[in-house]
Amino acid sequence: AYLGDALGRPAPETLPWVEDGSIWDGADMWATVEDRSDELIALYGRASARADASIDALDLDAPASVAHWPSGRRDTTLGFLLIHMIAETAQHAGHADIVRELIDGVAGADQDDSMGEEFWRAYVERIQAAADTFATAAPRPDR
């Protein structure tokens, strides 16, 4: 949705966390107990295919606009967005970053003074509660 919306090529489906506004609380960053892995994998496949279609159809200097960025930086290009998304992927991918966040309590460039320590403490507690639910909801197949 992010790339498509910025390029004027919105996805045909509205994601639940966009529709209810919980995306602004980080709901797009983790799965809930209700989310099924096969549905999430299928969503990822559809999103990847749409992104690939946009990348194939447009030049790197194609204009883009990210509505939630500050007005002075909002207008950009497909090329810049691809670099931005690579950086975001590198920051968020892998367990090493998660482990580091658990150790130092800092969530990379996403954590800033505007959110405050109380916000981040509550956010981490919500994620931990979801993880605890998964840990107790169903036995793992290898146990």
Side-chain angles (χ1 to χ4, degrees):
Y2 172 77
L3 188 61
D5 288 348
L7 294 165
R9 300 166 64 97
E13 60 189 299
T14 302
L15 301 172
W17 50 86
V18 172
E19 189 170 345
D20 68 13
S22 62
I23 189 171
W24 302 113
D25 293 326
D28 60 330
M29 294 292 171
W30 50 288
T32 67
V33 175
E34 294 82 24
D35 292 325
R36 294 180 30 177
S37 60
D38 61 333
E39 292 171 353
L40 293 174
I41 292 167
L43 174 61
Y44 180 81
R46 292 190 306 275
S48 294
R50 289 198 49 78
D52 288 347
S54 292
I55 293 165
D56 289 344
L58 302 171
D59 292 327
L60 291 176
D61 60 353
S65 180
V66 183
H68 63 274
W69 285 5
S71 60
R73 293 187 3 191
R74 186 171 294 152
D75 295 329
T76 187
T77 64
L78 169 59
F80 183 88
L81 289 179
L82 292 176
I83 292 168
H84 179 74
M85 292 176 79
I86 290 168
E88 284 285 312
T89 300
Q91 178 183 343
H92 294 295
H95 297 303
D97 199 39
I98 295 168
V99 171
R100 184 209 36 84
E101 289 178 8
L102 290 171
I103 293 169
D104 67 14
V106 177
D110 286 340
Q111 183 171 348
D112 61 21
D113 293 336
S114 67
M115 304 262 186
E117 188 174 324
E118 186 175 324
F119 170 88
W120 286 105
R121 187 176 9 263
Y123 182 69
V124 169
E125 287 174 8
R126 274 193 6 248
I127 294 171
Q128 186 62 54
D132 292 345
T133 301
F134 280 110
T136 60
R140 288 177 39 181
D142 60 339
R143 290 187 181 176

